[in-house]
Amino acid sequence: MGAGHLTRLEGEMNTCIRCAYCFEKCPVFNERGWDSDGARGKVILSYGLLTGQLKPSKYVADKMFRCTCCRDCIERCPSNVNVIDIVSSARADLVASGFAGETHKQVVENIKKTGNIYGDAEVVSPLKEGETPLFLGCQYLSRPNKTKKYIAILEKLGIHPEVQKEVCCGFPMEILGFKAEFESHKEKFSQFFPHKGAIALCPTCTVFLKEGYGLDAKHVLQVISEKIPEAKLGLKVTYHDPCDFSRGLKIIDEPRKILKKLGVEIVEMKDSKVQSACCGGGGGILMSDPSLSDRIAKNRIRQAIETGADTLITSCPTCEQVLKKAATDVGGSEGKNIAVRNIEDIIWMGVK
Amino acid sequence: MKSDIGMLKAIVGESDVSDELADLYVYSSDASVHQALPSVVVRPKTIEEVQQVMRYANGNRVPVIARGAGSGMSGHAVPIDGGIVLDMKRMNRILEIKPEDILCKVEVGVVNDELNRVLKPYGFFFPPTPSSGNICTIGGMIGTNASGNRAVKYGATRDSVLGLKVVLANGDLVKLGSNTRTDASGYQLARLMVGSEGTLGIVVEATLLLSPLPKYRAMGIANFDKLEDAGRAISDIISTGITPSMLELMDSVAITAVNRALNLGLPDVAAIVIFECDGMVKESVGHDIANIRKTCERHNGSGITVSDDPKEMARIYEGRKKLFPSLSRYGEGLVSTPLADDMAVPMSKIADCVQEIHKVAKRNNVIMSAYGHCGSGLIHTKIMMDPTKESQWEDAKRAVTEIYEYVYKIGGTTSGEHGIALSKAPSWKVEKKDSLEMMRAIKRALDPHNILNPHKLMDAPDDWTKATALRYNVRRG
């Protein structure tokens, strides 16, 4: 048995009445089809680990790490069972029993050594004096052009962000089951980022600053949506709600309001808003099972193509990355094309 | 069994067979309280594969348990003797839609709501509406003769099954029933298969009767300060000749639970009645709604609201659909268990029965909710209890026995829609004592080696708490 992270969740797992309503849109279950691949399956596996009916093993770990943590199951669960809490705790017990994936271990080591997920000491914040603390997060740290664009947008709208040297929020450690490492990292993070509130660029970081640290964090689009001027870009797009946006932060209207104000017509996909289908990039599977991640992303791209729009807009750098690749692959193999862009490009077009 | 895994892999393919303990553990339970490990899980894709698996199983006397979504509440898919769990979800093609004949043909792994999504552009729907419609398969619905909240007007699954393709225990494929709305002669074998819980054959294809989608729909809610008034209103509505498309009761326990879990904002009263009428003519729907409103008022219903706004109707409908799982949030440390959960009683006895349920619960130190498709005479109960305490299972066992004794005394029956399997079998065998030998004879004729979902229904153990392990971590005391 692992480190006992599941112990506090026995009641929560009993609360799950195993109705299977979480099957409906679980991206991993819909791709793989075994009951043990769905959210309910992962709760049952966790219960087995807790009670000792299952021993930690590579097979169980592979199942448990095949989860995009997209929160769709939580949204659908009529018993409000926090499946992601259960999955991350089961992962923690599996990691404590020696069943961490090599790619995941590497990410954690990278954060410990360099403060970012890439293990690249050259990835640094574009330091800037200002009034409002801005948290970039690893994804934007490694994409300086995007970060500069967001900073320029905020300046244009009269908001003066302050950027300091920062370290990863630690979410990858938490979600991949490295809870002891995260507890150590927490202190380091607070030293680098001593603020009580912030604007954050990455949806996942925004959720985690709130949930993991109790900070008053706002996503940059929440701020922009209050000040966005009108424009007439005349584009027709479909919008992909990132999981941490629509289900984590419950931000659904703001990006749509921004796009509409800029004169962009939105054609909704079959699964959108709070029921948005996952891009396949979350929960660590992009590292541990890229082929599965890719298949889930392609499913989403096919939904986007069905709308007839020629561009998919999203507001998460990970979604953008995996959906861009999937769009290229689908375009190549199925002859149907759609462009993928991040919302900051569109906003910049409207305000520059 | 180990040495036979290779044989099964040769039939369905390497990647669709698993005897990994982790997979077996997940497939050892459904939405019931039971748990028993299968020996292997097999996922067939074609009828031929099912036939080959059955020939193998019959020859080697290996139990075979068909499974859809595994959302059954009485232990249908729990393999009490191990054996092969046949996960039928890969057989999920809609084969044919014939609007001119008002029917469709499907494989049994098709999900109910998905079928209705595809049927909608044709102007039709498959009428049974189980609350689990978003995930339950047509095969599972056939196995349990599922119905749901619109059964009061449209009937149960059996009423919408015209024909079936069934793989028998020996691997033979038979076509039962027909493609026609009337089929009068001989034994009604397709109808026999519906509700047989996988004990007589593996249903692989179904020809289903459809209904035209109604053009108009309206829904109302009436509040009652006395549970018995709500029960009498329901009985009265049905007996006056109105056919609502939904007529549901929720008691105060159910109201509290859905408000807590789903923030539905229902009023804090002893009971509410949710009613819905649908049809092709707006005035006709309005006329029926007005009559139901008057009947509720006559029985002291108050605060009656009616809406034909699709969003508002969907909000209430979704809340009702999620009632059973949301009961798990009724109280700290209490979880919802599907015990004694779907008895049906004569219409005139609904009010009495609902009151008795609460008395039984109080006597036995458990909390019970009473709600359900009462327009069909069907009452759902769930027992909210601490499943980790051994003593609570004794309490639950007494409560279940007492409730069924009462139900039979007033002329009711054990299960209106969820089926029997293990949890309800001990009481059901008492109720159906005159039918048991006939059922066993049919079972022997179709499955002489007793490999199809054995030890369920009439052959289930007499103590449901010991039929299998309970899926909870139960401690003494």
Side-chain angles (χ1 to χ4, degrees):
Chain A
M1 196 50 233
H5 292 100
L6 282 167
T7 308
R8 72 181 167 87
L9 292 166
E10 181 179 357
E12 191 71 358
M13 287 187 269
N14 282 335
T15 297
C16 168
I17 57 117
R18 303 190 180 178
C19 63
Y21 287 17
C22 52
F23 270 13
E24 192 179 357
K25 297 283 180 183
C26 173
V28 177
F29 174 75
N30 285 331
E31 251 324 294
R32 293 177 54 83
W34 288 90
D35 282 16
S36 45
D37 291 315
R40 177 180 68 172
K42 290 182 172 78
V43 173
I44 296 173
L45 291 174
S46 302
Y47 200 71
L49 289 171
L50 173 73
T51 57
Q53 292 172 88
L54 289 179
K55 302 291 175 217
S57 67
K58 184 173 182 312
Y59 193 86
V60 175
D62 285 348
K63 290 273 177 188
M64 205 59 77
F65 281 96
R66 276 195 207 107
C67 173
T68 63
C69 300
C70 71
R71 298 172 185 251
D72 184 83
C73 48
I74 297 177
E75 202 59 46
R76 286 174 198 282
C77 177
S79 307
N80 294 331
V81 173
N82 191 336
V83 181
I84 304 304
D85 193 11
I86 293 168
V87 167
S88 74
S89 298
R91 287 176 170 189
D93 280 354
L94 288 159
V95 167
S97 299
F99 293 99
E102 288 306 315
T103 51
H104 295 164
K105 277 198 265 188
Q106 188 59 56
V107 167
V108 172
E109 278 309 305
N110 289 347
I111 297 171
K112 280 158 77 175
K113 276 187 193 158
T114 64
N116 64 63
I117 57 175
Y118 307 104
D120 185 348
E122 300 298 311
V123 172
V124 290
S125 319
L127 302 181
K128 181 184 170 306
E129 294 293 318
E131 295 159 2
T132 312
L134 184 70
F135 185 78
L136 311 183
C138 299
Q139 297 281 0
Y140 278 94
L141 272 176
S142 69
R143 293 168 171 86
N145 290 339
K146 286 179 173 296
T147 306
K148 282 176 196 162
K149 206 172 270 178
Y150 258 136
I151 291 172
I153 291 166
L154 289 171
E155 291 284 355
K156 282 262 183 197
L157 299 179
I159 298 156
H160 307 295
E162 176 185 284
V163 183
Q164 298 171 335
K165 191 177 178 200
E166 65 179 49
V167 293
C168 174
C169 67
F171 175 73
M173 292 171 155
E174 165 73 11
I175 201 67
L176 296 176
F178 293 80
K179 289 192 186 268
E181 285 81 352
F182 172 59
E183 286 306 314
S184 312
H185 180 78
K186 249 180 161 177
E187 207 175 308
K188 192 174 174 185
F189 173 83
S190 299
Q191 283 167 9
F192 275 83
F193 203 79
H195 309 288
K196 288 197 165 72
I199 299 173
L201 298 188
C202 165
T204 305
C205 294
T206 313
V207 175
F208 201 59
L209 293 183
K210 289 161 87 84
E211 291 180 357
Y213 295 91
L215 300 186
D216 180 18
K218 276 190 172 179
H219 187 268
V220 65
L221 291 188
Q222 290 176 288
V223 178
I224 291 173
S225 73
E226 290 165 7
K227 292 176 178 284
I228 190 79
E230 291 200 3
K232 290 182 179 170
L233 295 179
L235 303 172
K236 185 179 173 184
V237 305
T238 189
Y239 177 73
H240 166 77
D241 298 83
C243 306
D244 281 322
F245 233 60
S246 61
R247 291 187 281 269
L249 295 166
K250 305 285 179 200
I251 295 178
I252 291 164
D253 296 335
E254 287 86 339
R256 289 174 171 80
K257 180 182 161 190
I258 291 169
L259 290 170
K260 275 182 190 164
K261 270 221 161 177
L262 294 174
V264 177
E265 185 192 343
I266 303 169
V267 196
E268 298 289 356
M269 282 182 264
K270 185 175 131 228
D271 297 320
S272 67
K273 302 181 181 178
V274 78
Q275 302 214 345
S276 177
C278 179
C279 74
I285 71 163
L286 190 54
M287 294 173 273
S288 57
D289 196 340
S291 156
L292 175 61
S293 168
D294 207 31
R295 296 201 301 276
I296 295 169
K298 283 181 190 165
N299 290 340
R300 185 56 165 165
I301 284 295
R302 290 185 191 105
Q303 272 199 4
I305 289 169
E306 272 175 25
T307 65
D310 56 12
T311 306
L312 177 150
I313 303 293
T314 188
S315 41
C316 164
T318 307
C319 296
E320 183 191 3
Q321 178 193 334
V322 296
L323 291 173
K324 257 185 183 159
K325 181 180 180 306
T328 306
D329 292 349
V330 169
S333 61
E334 298 169 27
K336 294 173 181 171
N337 295 298
I338 191 163
V340 175
R341 301 181 75 176
N342 201 309
I343 196 166
E344 77 255 355
D345 292 338
I346 309 298
I347 299 172
W348 182 242
M349 283 165 65
V351 301
K352 70 181 176 186
Chain B
M1 190 74 213
K2 200 82 185 170
S3 59
D4 302 328
I5 301 298
M7 175 79 79
L8 294 166
K9 285 182 176 174
I11 295 171
V12 301
E14 183 94 16
S15 61
D16 288 304
V17 175
S18 177
D19 63 344
E20 285 284 348
L21 180 60
D23 289 323
L24 303 183
Y25 184 72
V26 170
Y27 282 86
S28 69
S29 61
D30 50 15
S32 73
V33 300
H34 302 285
Q35 182 182 34
L37 285 176
S39 314
V40 61
V41 182
V42 177
R43 305 195 309 162
K45 180 78 176 161
T46 65
I47 292 174
E48 292 71 27
E49 288 176 0
V50 175
Q51 288 184 273
Q52 287 184 59
V53 171
M54 289 312 302
R55 284 186 198 115
Y56 157 79
N58 200 45
N60 293 277
R61 312 289 190 259
V62 178
V64 179
I65 297 89
R67 176 181 171 110
S71 56
M73 298 186 192
S74 306
H76 306 86
V78 176
I80 188 167
D81 269 353
I84 299 168
V85 164
L86 269 188
D87 180 342
M88 303 297 284
K89 289 192 284 294
R90 290 179 74 225
M91 295 183 66
N92 60 358
R93 291 178 305 157
I94 296 170
L95 302 168
E96 202 173 6
I97 297 171
K98 297 178 80 173
E100 67 278 16
D101 293 329
I102 322 177
L103 61 81
C104 69
K105 290 188 181 185
V106 300
E107 291 182 331
V108 291
V110 170
V111 171
N112 182 59
D113 282 5
E114 175 62 15
L115 174 61
N116 282 323
R117 192 184 66 75
V118 173
L119 289 171
K120 195 173 179 183
Y122 294 88
F124 289 93
F125 74 114
F126 177 54
T129 47
S131 296
S132 57
N134 55 332
I135 47 100
C136 74
T137 62
I138 299 298
M141 291 173 69
I142 290 170
T144 57
N145 188 25
S147 53
N149 46 32
R150 293 203 171 108
V152 60
K153 178 170 181 177
Y154 294 101
T157 300
R158 184 177 281 130
D159 302 309
S160 296
V161 169
L162 298 176
L164 296 174
K165 278 189 185 174
V166 181
V167 175
L168 300 177
N170 64 4
D172 287 353
L173 179 68
V174 294
K175 281 168 74 174
L176 308 176
S178 67
N179 294 327
T180 58
R181 296 189 73 170
T182 50
D183 178 8
S185 312
Y187 301 141
Q188 300 292 301
L189 297 179
R191 292 175 71 85
L192 171 65
M193 286 289 165
V194 182
S196 65
E197 305 188 2
T199 61
L200 299 180
I202 306 292
V203 180
V204 287
E205 269 183 34
T207 302
L208 304 173
L209 178 65
L210 308 177
S211 281
L213 275 168
K215 285 187 179 156
Y216 301 98
R217 182 169 277 157
M219 186 183 280
I221 297 181
N223 307 326
F224 292 86
D225 291 326
K226 289 182 181 168
L227 195 51
E228 56 268 36
D229 283 345
R232 289 191 182 107
I234 287 170
S235 178
D236 212 3
I237 289 165
I238 295 297
S239 60
T240 50
I242 303 167
T243 308
S245 49
M246 189 164 96
L247 188 54
E248 298 281 310
L249 173 78
M250 284 170 68
D251 72 354
S252 59
V253 176
I255 293 167
T256 303
V258 287
N259 281 340
R260 277 184 192 158
L262 305 172
N263 200 20
L264 219 54
L266 295 174
D268 181 18
V269 290
I272 62 170
V273 169
I274 304 174
F275 51 93
E276 179 199 80
C277 294
D278 66 12
M280 297 297 180
V281 181
K282 193 174 183 181
E283 289 71 20
S284 169
V285 171
H287 178 264
D288 284 353
I289 287 279
N291 276 345
I292 292 176
R293 179 195 278 265
K294 275 183 210 159
T295 309
C296 288
E297 284 169 348
R298 206 164 49 243
H299 290 280
N300 306 315
S302 63
I304 300 172
T305 55
V306 171
S307 174
D308 59 1
D309 171 27
K311 276 190 182 165
E312 177 59 8
M313 289 194 291
R315 191 180 75 87
I316 301 298
Y317 188 70
E318 281 305 304
R320 168 58 194 88
K321 276 177 68 168
K322 292 175 176 174
L323 177 51
F324 163 45
S326 65
L327 285 167
S328 252
R329 289 293 181 195
Y330 178 74
E332 193 63 33
L334 302 176
V335 307
S336 175
T337 56
L339 297 169
D341 76 328
D342 66 328
M343 65 285 293
V345 299
M347 292 305 305
S348 63
K349 304 292 183 191
I350 286 171
D352 296 342
C353 187
V354 166
Q355 288 187 89
E356 183 65 19
I357 286 165
H358 286 281
K359 284 182 200 164
V360 169
K362 200 170 178 186
R363 248 191 337 260
N364 289 290
N365 193 33
V366 291
I367 294 171
M368 295 185 74
S369 172
Y371 63 97
H373 325 310
C374 292
S376 316
L378 194 147
I379 301 171
H380 284 308
T381 63
K382 298 289 176 287
I383 295 186
M384 271 76 81
M385 56 186 255
D386 179 350
T388 64
K389 283 187 183 162
E390 194 178 41
S391 60
Q392 281 270 273
W393 289 99
E394 290 303 317
D395 295 334
K397 194 169 152 183
R398 280 195 313 277
V400 167
T401 305
E402 286 177 25
I403 282 174
Y404 283 131
E405 281 170 358
Y406 178 79
V407 165
Y408 305 147
K409 197 167 78 183
I410 60 172
T413 190
T414 311
S415 173
E417 62 176 0
H418 291 168
I420 303 300
L422 298 167
S423 307
K424 283 169 251 173
S427 296
W428 179 78
K429 286 196 283 185
V430 174
E431 181 205 343
K432 302 287 185 189
K433 60 181 184 299
D434 293 345
S435 314
L436 297 181
E437 275 317 307
M438 211 180 289
M439 291 191 205
R440 287 187 181 119
I442 293 168
K443 169 77 170 161
R444 277 194 300 276
L446 292 176
D447 179 20
H449 301 306
N450 195 27
I451 60 164
L452 286 163
N453 208 6
H455 307 298
K456 302 285 168 68
L457 288 167
M458 59 280 175
D459 297 327
D462 287 330
D463 181 350
W464 60 267
T465 63
K466 294 187 172 61
T468 63
L470 296 168
R471 71 168 171 84
Y472 303 93
N473 192 16
V474 184
R475 286 102 166 175
R476 287 193 177 280

